[in-house]
Amino acid sequence: AQKVTQAQTEISVVEKEDVTLDCVYETRDTTYYLFWYKQPPSGELVFLIRRNSFDEQNEISGRYSWNFQKSTSSFNFTITASQVVDSAVYFCALRRIQGAQKLVFGQGTRLTINP
Amino acid sequence: DTAVSQTPKYLVTQMGNDKSIKCEQNLGHDTMYWYKQDSKKFLKIMFSYNNKELIINETVPNRFSPKSPDKAHLNLHINSLELGDSAVYFCASTLTGVPYGYTFGSGTRLTVV
């Protein structure tokens, strides 16, 4: 069975602080995909990143960076110099490469950036 | 030119009614999904269709019946609505074998009163 855990239910920081959202996953598959999605207050689900399990390079996109560590089954997401517009619920998700291609989501982390 | 469109966006109905939510995608994808997001924001898959064939059917009450007339459309019919069915329902699509994330619709907020 697959499982994704986002232990941080809510995080609140002041604008310009750096913040890291944790994601830990469980799977018996040796190859899989990991994702992060953002759900702003407007409610839509916005794709942020996909990572293959065989590619452990960290990725940076502007103020966003992702740290994938297969040894600890973690795929953490850091926002540098946070802004009020980053306020949203963030979801980590896991998908098998073979078989049924459903996304298994974590519980989500509600991030609030205060001005 | 919306990629995945759901209708209606909001739906308020009384307990016991029957209602449908429609989803259409113009991406050429062959697999479509329904996800339910509950009041605690938890997202869980309900159904998936690949080329009109049901391939995922999670533990969902049989009051929920999906229908896929073709690979671009996936509808969700709900009979005898209950208060607990209140949630946001998301449609999504993807292309088999292509390692993309899903493309999600904007969601349908269903409120049962």
Side-chain angles (χ1 to χ4, degrees), chain A residues 35 37 47 50 95 103, chain B residues 29 93-95 98-104:
Chain A
F35 301 84
Y37 282 85
F47 168 76
R50 171 185 57 86
R95 199 197 91 181
L103 278 173
Chain B
H29 291 171
S93 70
T94 191
L95 188 59
V98 177
Y100 297 143
Y102 292 9
T103 302
F104 282 89

Side-chain angles (χ1 to χ4, degrees), chain A residues 19-83:
Chain A
V19 58
T20 295
L21 282 60
D22 296 334
C23 173
V24 174
Y25 61 91
E26 297 173 28
T27 179
R28 292 182 181 173
D29 293 346
T30 54
T31 56
Y32 45 86
Y33 294 118
L34 293 162
F35 301 84
W36 276 94
Y37 282 85
K38 174 181 179 180
Q39 187 174 40
S42 51
E44 72 272 25
L45 285 161
V46 179
F47 168 76
L48 294 178
I49 190 172
R50 171 185 57 86
R51 170 62 70 208
N52 299 334
S53 57
F54 44 86
D55 178 4
E56 288 198 62
Q57 256 190 332
N58 290 331
E59 182 149 345
I60 297 175
S61 176
R63 296 184 297 105
Y64 295 172
S65 62
W66 290 269
N67 183 346
F68 174 40
Q69 302 231 346
K70 202 168 181 179
S71 59
T72 56
S73 297
S74 66
F75 186 41
N76 297 336
F77 172 31
T78 297
I79 301 175
T80 304
S82 60
Q83 300 176 3

